[in-house]
Amino acid sequence: MNMNTTERHKQSVRIPAKTGYAVKVNKGSLIRVTDLEGQQVVDFVAYDAQNANNRLDPGVTMDVLRSYRIKPGQSVYSNQYQPLLKIVRDTVGVHDFFNSACRPEMYEVLYGKKDHASCYHNLNQALEPFGILPPDQHYPFNLFMKSVVDDLGKIDVVAPDSRAGDYVEMEALTDLVIGLSACPCEESSCNGYHCTAIQLDVEPIAD
């Protein structure tokens, strides 16, 4: 499949564990991200195809929703407070807006490991063919990631609730370039200590 074009038929791609992928999708397309084996986090980013400065923003989304949980019928917003994607179906209902993309520096600080694979580099490599330059950091919509906040404000990342075959389906509300990374962290319960593949299905709007 050519990553630089949007076919007029359903696209399906299996994204191997610890790798990234990006594709352009048209307004009205349905985007389904499936956790093939369960407990696998997906760092998901989106850029306005006409203006890369208008990009998915978790903080703005929480500001609009007044919540760190999102439900079907609600939208994910950009840094310019524009709705980019609407949640259509969600078989899990627990995702994360708090955490930025993992990066090599994180693995070195937290786990003493250098040059570790990361969502930051996965996303940069996947988005490069679309002319999207690496940002200082990626702030994704972390699909299936489970962050628990206690009464004192402490945030713990625990194993995802997602099981094999669980998915999130979103409608693109404008033309977008989307990027996904099957998170490569096996050092914590983030991915249940085991990284696995994910699947992306894109169904363009009918003519």
Side-chain angles (χ1 to χ4, degrees):
M1 180 174 63
N2 187 341
M3 289 175 56
N4 294 302
T5 61
T6 300
E7 305 288 339
R8 299 308 295 171
H9 55 79
K10 184 175 180 179
Q11 306 172 45
S12 296
V13 60
R14 182 181 182 274
I15 302 170
K18 305 182 182 182
T19 69
Y21 185 78
V23 68
K24 182 179 182 294
V25 299
N26 290 337
K27 178 180 179 180
S29 296
L30 290 179
I31 302 159
R32 179 179 290 199
V33 182
T34 302
D35 186 351
L36 293 175
E37 297 185 35
Q39 297 191 328
Q40 175 60 49
V41 169
V42 181
D43 283 35
F44 180 95
V45 297
Y47 292 80
D48 184 332
Q50 304 304 317
N51 175 16
N53 290 322
N54 188 37
R55 60 190 182 278
L56 183 154
D57 191 303
V60 169
T61 300
M62 288 190 287
D63 189 26
V64 174
L65 299 181
R66 312 310 300 169
S67 174
Y68 58 84
R69 293 287 177 85
I70 191 167
K71 302 175 182 178
Q74 296 179 323
S75 295
V76 182
Y77 286 78
S78 76
N79 57 313
Q80 298 180 18
Y81 281 78
Q82 296 177 3
L84 295 184
L85 298 133
K86 183 173 71 174
I87 305 298
V88 178
R89 298 178 185 86
D90 182 356
T91 64
V92 180
V94 179
H95 312 282
D96 172 80
F97 285 124
F98 296 124
N99 290 276
S100 57
C102 64
R103 54 190 297 150
E105 296 89 340
M106 184 207 81
Y107 290 99
E108 188 169 354
V109 169
L110 297 183
Y111 306 110
K113 296 184 176 182
K114 290 187 176 182
D115 302 320
H116 197 289
S118 70
C119 289
Y120 178 70
H121 283 312
N122 286 348
L123 292 169
N124 289 343
Q125 292 173 357
L127 292 166
E128 182 180 8
F130 299 93
I132 296 174
L133 300 176
D136 291 338
Q137 176 59 302
H138 288 286
Y139 298 96
F141 178 22
N142 296 304
L143 304 179
F144 312 122
M145 187 173 188
K146 186 174 184 180
S147 296
V148 179
V149 184
D150 70 14
D151 292 340
L152 298 178
K154 184 175 183 293
I155 303 175
D156 284 319
V157 176
V158 299
D161 290 342
S162 56
R163 299 180 179 182
D166 276 328
Y167 65 87
V168 180
E169 190 171 82
M170 297 170 277
E171 178 187 353
L173 300 178
T174 189
D175 292 349
L176 297 170
V177 174
I178 60 171
L180 302 86
S181 172
C183 180
C185 182
E186 292 181 315
E187 288 76 12
S188 76
S189 59
C190 175
N191 297 304
Y193 296 97
H194 178 60
C195 298
T196 54
I198 58 174
Q199 181 164 318
L200 171 67
D201 295 294
V202 178
E203 186 172 350
I205 188 171
D207 291 327

